[in-house]
Amino acid sequence: QEPVPVLQVAGRVLADLRPQAEEKRLRVFAESPDGEQDLVAVGDEQRIAQVFTNLVGNALKFTDEGGVSVNLTRQNGHIHCLVRDTGCGIPPDELERVFDRFYQVEKVVTRKTGGTGLGLAIVKNIVEAHGGRIWIESQVGRGTEVHFTLPS
Ligand code: ADP
């Protein structure tokens, strides 16, 4: 348990993933509202970085046009984090299952994106271990929003 400067952590993750974004000509950025650039969560900085790495990595993987953004806001006693992409989206009936271990929307043999289906299961574990909540909103063909909360 330590103070974690969330915008800086997200910014570092985005910098690491920038080559991947540039390869696909996708825009990436992280932001907080004016005057809220120093939002501090309480937790394990490395694990929180892992959450952003996974979510932004997925967002880049499943997006071909547009980009990926991270938005951080303060909301009644916690920090609300949103990773948004303009990618392929997830069908409504699969939304709950993407958090299951090894679950992937398409069969591995038919997809070009690889992966293990473990990322979101691990992310959910980390967020919940911090006492936070995670959920997904998505529209097929338009994009995906992954929301999670962290204690502050
Ligand atoms: P992996 O990415 O290794 O397959 P994850 O557990 O991170 O495993 O994700 C599970 C599945 O959820 C992915 O295979 C993909 O089908 C779907 N998914 C996750 N994130 C996104 C996203 N941002 N846009 C579209 N589909 C996604």
Side-chain angles (χ1 to χ4, degrees):
Q1 297 274 313
E2 56 188 343
V4 180
V6 198
L7 187 61
Q8 271 142 277
V9 171
R12 231 180 295 137
V13 167
L14 289 186
D16 288 344
L17 294 175
R18 200 162 292 278
Q20 246 166 276
E22 280 172 0
E23 210 171 288
K24 296 177 85 175
R25 296 175 189 278
L26 299 172
R27 287 185 306 276
V28 289
F29 62 91
E31 62 175 14
S32 288
D34 287 346
E36 295 272 29
Q37 267 81 32
D38 53 359
L39 293 175
V40 175
V42 178
D44 181 327
E45 179 161 328
Q46 253 182 292
R47 293 296 176 199
I48 291 172
Q50 189 182 349
V51 168
F52 282 112
T53 300
N54 223 290
L55 296 180
V56 175
N58 274 349
L60 291 171
K61 197 157 80 168
F62 296 105
T63 301
D64 289 327
E65 254 175 67
V68 178
S69 64
V70 176
N71 288 75
L72 306 171
T73 49
R74 195 189 300 279
Q75 267 175 34
N76 7 299
H78 58 256
I79 294 174
H80 181 111
C81 309
L82 167 59
V83 179
R84 181 190 276 141
D85 68 57
T86 54
C88 64
I90 302 169
D93 54 321
E94 317 238 17
L95 274 180
E96 274 309 308
R97 280 191 290 170
V98 294
F99 288 111
D100 293 351
R101 271 181 281 170
F102 305 114
Y103 190 79
Q104 300 185 304
V105 171
E106 273 175 80
K107 287 197 184 66
V108 177
V109 281
T110 60
R111 40 196 271 149
K112 48 184 196 280
T113 43
T116 59
L118 278 171
L120 285 176
I122 294 168
V123 160
K124 186 169 198 255
N125 251 276
I126 295 172
V127 170
E128 290 180 351
H130 280 81
R133 237 168 41 83
I134 183 163
W135 67 101
I136 299 189
E137 292 166 17
S138 189
Q139 277 186 291
V140 172
R142 308 205 73 177
T144 300
E145 292 186 355
V146 184
H147 301 255
F148 66 97
T149 61
L150 292 171
S152 64

